[in-house]
Amino acid sequence: MRAAYGVALVVGLIALITWVIAVAASRTDIGSPEQRFGLSGRRVVGALIAFGMGGLSAAYGGWPPWAAVIAAGTAAAAAIWYVGTV
């Protein structure tokens, strides 16, 4: 499972970096990821990063695999909620 958490974290970080660069490089709102993906896109990126970080920290912290999956899911759900409120 650690590989799945790692892949989710790397994909989320790449998406975040790409998002920031695209926002900075877009000269109009049409090409901005905020216009194309909006709130749902931000929630996906946040959930990927939180799932990866929560799962890896629980797995390397010595938690049993079932508890690490629950921790990762809880972190992703919290990120989805938080990104929606900010």
Side-chain angles (χ1 to χ4, degrees):
M1 266 322 268
R2 290 180 182 170
Y5 302 137
V7 168
L9 181 60
V10 168
V11 169
L13 289 174
I14 290 171
L16 177 64
I17 291 168
T18 304
W19 189 290
V20 170
I21 291 171
V23 167
S26 68
R27 295 181 183 208
T28 64
D29 286 338
I30 297 169
S32 173
E34 290 292 325
Q35 289 294 99
R36 292 170 53 196
F37 304 114
L39 180 60
S40 61
R42 283 186 279 155
R43 284 182 168 171
V44 168
V45 171
L48 280 171
I49 292 172
F51 181 81
M53 289 181 75
L56 282 175
S57 62
Y60 281 110
W63 293 20
W66 61 269
V69 170
I70 292 173
T74 303
I80 290 170
W81 172 80
Y82 180 74
V83 170
T85 59
V86 173

